């Protein structure tokens, strides 16, 4: 039995400067599995009180028709069809929509969950919102030694989902991770979250010397919890994306061009 049958590539949150929020909805024999959740309805209803002015400074569009729930309904699914949400990290544009899927189990690295729950320091209080991790939310965390995968020394197979793996990529946040998906005949997909902002950072897409890639790299460094790890992740993901032996599509959360290319054909496995 093929574990992942269809992968839908959704934009679940547009931003100023042409940025998107790339969310995956994967049809599996265990129900729908999402990678990240985009911006949800509760935050769209009350953005200033829920998200804060610092988050709004980046110019989220906050369009209800861009929520994962609205898009999945248009595809014929309901909220309770989503059984799992695997989060690259817990910034609001990646976890906000989870509240629209109360039956889903949320998977995240233990480090990210711990840092987000503690909210120590001004930056963490701006970055993480308490209502995104309510006490009644079902959460499964992953930590410890893990095992090797795709050339990375540490990875965590998602419990009950053999085709999904969390791969720690700290830098943007301390507990940030990529999500590797074994997609049948399509081979591997890697949702790298915010490990990079533009495909040129890993040697894909247009020339990296343009104004837009440079501006995005500056933003990436400004928002990173560990800026020195950002370049390391770029190099490691560049090696992965260009490996002829593995055959993997690597993409990030906010690159609109990459999202549009993947939306051109639904990923059927």
């Amino acid at each position: 039995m093929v574990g992942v049958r269809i992968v839908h590539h959704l934009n679940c949150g547009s931003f100023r400067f042409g940025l998107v929020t790339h969310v995956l909805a994967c049809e599996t024999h265990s129900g729908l599995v999402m990678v990240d959740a985009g911006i949800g309805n509760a935050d769209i209803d009350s953005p200033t009180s829920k998200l804060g002015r610092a988050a709004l400074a980046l110019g989220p569009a906050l369009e209800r028709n861009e929520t994962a729930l609205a898009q999945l309904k248009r595809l014929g699914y309901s909220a309770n069809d989503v059984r799992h949400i695997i989060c690259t990290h817990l910034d609001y544009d990646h976890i906000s929509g989870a509240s629209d899927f109360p039956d889903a189990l949320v998977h995240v690295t233990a480090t990210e969950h711990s840092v987000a729950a503690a909210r120590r320091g001004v930056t963490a209080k701006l970055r993480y919102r308490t209502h995104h991790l309510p006490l009644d939310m079902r959460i499964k965390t992953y930590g410890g030694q893990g095992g090797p995968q795709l050339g990375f020394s540490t990875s965590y197979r998602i419990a009950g989902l053999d085709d999904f793996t969390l791969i720690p990529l700290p830098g943007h946040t301390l507990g940030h991770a990529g999500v590797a998906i074994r997609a049948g005949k399509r081979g591997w997909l890697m949702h790298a979250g915010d490990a990079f902002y533009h495909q040129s950072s890993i040697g894909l897409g247009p020339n990296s010397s343009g104004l837009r890639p440079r501006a995005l790299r500056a933003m990436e460094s400004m928002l990173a919890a560990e800026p020195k790890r950002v370049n390391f992740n770029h190099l490691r993901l560049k090696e992965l994306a260009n490996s002829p032996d593995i055959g993997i599509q690597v993409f990030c959360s906010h690159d609109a061009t990459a999202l549009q290319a993947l939306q051109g054909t639904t990923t059927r496995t």
Side-chain angles (χ1 to χ4, degrees), residues 11-14 39-41 44 60-68 70:
N11 172 21
C12 296
S14 297
I39 302 174
N41 284 290
I44 291 173
L62 302 177
E63 297 285 349
R64 199 173 301 279
N65 66 348
E66 286 188 344
T67 64

Side-chain angles (χ1 to χ4, degrees), residues 95 98-99 106 113 129-139:
I95 184 61
S99 62
V106 175
H113 183 264
R129 312 303 288 180
T130 54
H131 67 280
H132 289 156
L133 294 169
L135 294 176
D136 59 350
M137 180 179 283
R138 299 192 303 150
I139 297 175

Side-chain angles (χ1 to χ4, degrees), residues 58-107:
L58 292 175
L62 302 177
E63 297 285 349
R64 199 173 301 279
N65 66 348
E66 286 188 344
T67 64
L69 179 59
Q71 294 186 69
L72 289 177
K73 284 183 175 179
R74 292 197 293 271
L75 290 170
Y77 301 109
S78 64
N80 58 15
D81 287 324
V82 177
R83 310 308 303 167
H84 301 270
I85 301 172
I86 307 169
C87 287
T88 60
H89 61 299
L90 296 174
D91 281 353
Y92 78 92
D93 50 325
H94 299 261
I95 184 61
S96 169
S99 62
D100 290 330
F101 305 99
D103 295 331
L105 176 63
V106 175
H107 305 263

Side-chain angles (χ1 to χ4, degrees), residues 42-253:
D43 290 333
I44 291 173
D45 289 340
S46 305
T48 302
S49 61
K50 293 283 190 179
L51 297 176
R53 297 188 183 279
L56 298 180
L58 292 175
L62 302 177
E63 297 285 349
R64 199 173 301 279
N65 66 348
E66 286 188 344
T67 64
L69 179 59
Q71 294 186 69
L72 289 177
K73 284 183 175 179
R74 292 197 293 271
L75 290 170
Y77 301 109
S78 64
N80 58 15
D81 287 324
V82 177
R83 310 308 303 167
H84 301 270
I85 301 172
I86 307 169
C87 287
T88 60
H89 61 299
L90 296 174
D91 281 353
Y92 78 92
D93 50 325
H94 299 261
I95 184 61
S96 169
S99 62
D100 290 330
F101 305 99
D103 295 331
L105 176 63
V106 175
H107 305 263
V108 67
T109 67
T111 298
E112 185 70 2
H113 183 264
S114 175
V115 172
R119 298 180 75 232
R120 294 191 180 95
V122 174
T123 300
K125 285 180 170 60
L126 292 173
R127 168 165 247 157
Y128 301 114
R129 312 303 288 180
T130 54
H131 67 280
H132 289 156
L133 294 169
L135 294 176
D136 59 350
M137 180 179 283
R138 299 192 303 150
I139 297 175
K140 169 73 175 172
T141 62
Y142 299 80
Q145 184 174 355
Q149 185 67 277
L150 297 175
F152 294 89
S153 60
T154 301
S155 69
Y156 308 113
R157 186 75 58 83
I158 297 299
L161 299 171
D162 289 343
D163 297 307
F164 296 83
T165 304
L166 270 172
I167 297 179
L169 295 170
H172 180 70
T173 66
L174 297 179
H176 183 278
V179 180
I181 304 163
R182 189 170 52 195
K185 294 178 181 178
R186 295 278 305 189
W188 287 95
L189 306 176
M190 167 70 101
H191 191 311
D194 286 9
F196 61 95
Y197 280 10
H198 192 271
Q199 291 289 88
S200 65
S201 295
I202 61 167
L204 302 175
N207 193 303
S208 62
S209 63
L211 178 61
R212 180 177 177 79
R214 292 203 307 271
L216 289 175
R217 282 197 296 275
M219 181 187 296
E220 183 181 6
S221 180
M222 179 182 69
L223 295 175
E226 293 183 311
K228 291 182 179 179
R229 294 298 299 268
V230 169
N231 285 336
F232 175 81
N233 287 336
H234 288 181
L235 292 172
R236 184 63 190 87
L237 290 168
K238 181 177 181 178
E239 179 183 359
L240 178 66
N242 291 280
S243 170
D245 299 324
I246 295 175
I248 185 168
Q249 289 181 292
V250 181
F251 48 89
C252 64
S253 294

